[in-house]
Amino acid sequence: SKKVRLMWGKLKNIGAGFIIYALLVIIGILLWPYAGTSKKNCLKVIKLYCNLVFWILKKVFNIKILVKGVLPDNSASIVCSKHQSFLDVLILLKVLPEPKFIMKSELSWVPVLSTYARKIGCVNVKRNDKTKSRYALKDAIGKESKNQSGQLVIYPEGTRTIPGQEVEYKRGVLILFSSLNRPLYLVSTNAGVAWSKTGKFKENSIATINFLEKIHYSKKSAKNLDYIRNEIEMNSQKLYKEEFVK
């Protein structure tokens, strides 16, 4: 009956979510003696966890992962991505050679996750404190300018959004782009359809991450915040509609 199906669907959602987060803690703790020895080993453990999560999503919900476009190599770059779900974070962690994220400072208190984030070079930013955010960005720029490799991921909206929702972009991405003077990759996604921010999984869906464009910094360029936002939002809407109408 419909009631049983609904109950089963809810149980599947809760169970899968629980297993995914429990695995994060278990793998994180058990493999830390190996992951803690180097950034390279830390990334190996993270990518192993991502593969496990993708396998669970495929087996339980038949959710597939699709990555389109030209991915960054391991020279230093910035990745500016739409953010809808924990899933888009995991996809970027898996496919980027050496990812590190600009992340909200609240996450620096989360056990296991914060330890691994520090090891791979993530940067904490206080979202609601403009002065502290600016200092954190300055600090990140100082550290990053010495690096010859790695992809610094920034979420220009500053938080997860619901598929189809558009919000203003924060200027942090432009500050990074102009200060670091390295390629900027624009990335769209519809991952929030497959795994929503409220923890709902959509059966038989495809979570897509699309590397749209690689742009180089130039003072004369018209590729400003509006341009970045339009490119990412238009393509994210397109991906969302493709997945939502199914």
Side-chain angles (χ1 to χ4, degrees):
S1 75
K2 198 180 174 188
K3 236 182 184 176
V4 173
R5 272 206 317 274
L6 274 171
M7 272 300 292
W8 174 237
K10 266 188 178 169
L11 280 172
K12 248 165 78 169
N13 265 297
I14 295 163
F18 176 77
I19 290 165
I20 286 165
Y21 289 113
L23 274 174
L24 186 143
V25 177
I26 295 161
I27 290 171
I29 292 169
L30 287 181
L31 295 185
W32 179 248
Y34 173 75
T37 55
S38 71
K39 185 174 170 179
K40 189 181 166 198
N41 289 347
C42 191
L43 283 164
K44 275 187 190 167
V45 172
I46 289 168
K47 288 172 195 286
L48 165 79
Y49 172 71
C50 294
N51 283 333
L52 260 174
V53 173
F54 301 155
W55 182 81
I56 291 166
L57 295 181
K58 178 81 180 73
K59 289 287 169 204
V60 181
F61 302 103
N62 195 29
I63 291 171
K64 297 184 184 81
I65 308 295
L66 180 64
V67 180
K68 292 158 79 170
V70 181
L71 273 76
D73 56 19
N74 204 22
S75 54
S77 59
I78 304 161
V79 173
C80 176
S81 174
K82 180 94 178 145
H83 183 28
Q84 295 178 343
S85 164
F86 186 39
L87 185 53
D88 55 69
V89 177
L90 294 176
I91 300 170
L92 289 178
L93 278 167
K94 173 67 175 68
V95 301
L96 293 171
E98 204 184 298
K100 51 203 146 177
F101 291 73
I102 289 185
M103 53 190 237
K104 56 185 181 185
S105 58
E106 295 96 311
L107 292 173
S108 65
W109 299 102
V110 180
V112 184
L113 188 137
S114 57
T115 312
Y116 277 75
R118 268 195 302 276
K119 189 74 185 171
I120 63 168
C122 294
V123 181
N124 290 321
V125 171
K126 261 198 162 46
R127 277 190 305 187
N128 306 324
D129 189 324
K130 277 192 173 165
T131 318
K132 280 188 177 164
S133 293
R134 223 167 276 141
Y135 277 123
L137 266 184
K138 261 189 169 169
D139 193 34
I141 290 160
K143 282 182 192 151
E144 265 304 303
S145 55
K146 299 180 189 79
N147 288 333
Q148 297 306 304
S149 66
Q151 303 75 50
L152 186 61
V153 180
I154 184 166
Y155 292 120
E157 299 148 305
T159 187
R160 285 176 302 177
T161 51
I162 304 160
Q165 180 192 8
E166 293 185 26
V167 296
E168 284 308 309
Y169 280 18
K170 297 186 180 348
R171 295 190 56 79
V173 61
L174 280 189
I175 297 165
L176 281 178
F177 192 30
S178 58
S179 309
L180 289 168
N181 200 357
R182 55 185 57 162
L184 176 72
Y185 288 84
L186 306 184
V187 178
S188 62
T189 189
N190 63 359
V193 175
W195 183 357
S196 76
K197 64 187 265 188
T198 56
K200 264 185 156 159
F201 299 96
K202 183 173 190 266
E203 305 233 6
N204 309 312
S205 55
I206 300 167
T208 305
I209 283 260
N210 192 2
F211 286 82
L212 296 165
E213 191 182 347
K214 175 186 184 180
I215 56 182
H216 294 276
Y217 184 70
S218 150
K219 276 185 179 160
K220 297 187 195 86
S221 170
K223 293 185 173 172
N224 56 13
L225 203 56
D226 287 337
Y227 176 85
I228 289 167
R229 186 175 181 274
N230 289 340
E231 286 292 294
I232 293 173
E233 290 303 320
M234 270 167 59
N235 196 265
S236 292
Q237 288 286 9
K238 185 170 162 276
L239 293 174
Y240 162 58
K241 281 173 186 147
E242 279 168 15
E243 212 37 55
F244 190 69
V245 293
K246 281 197 335 195

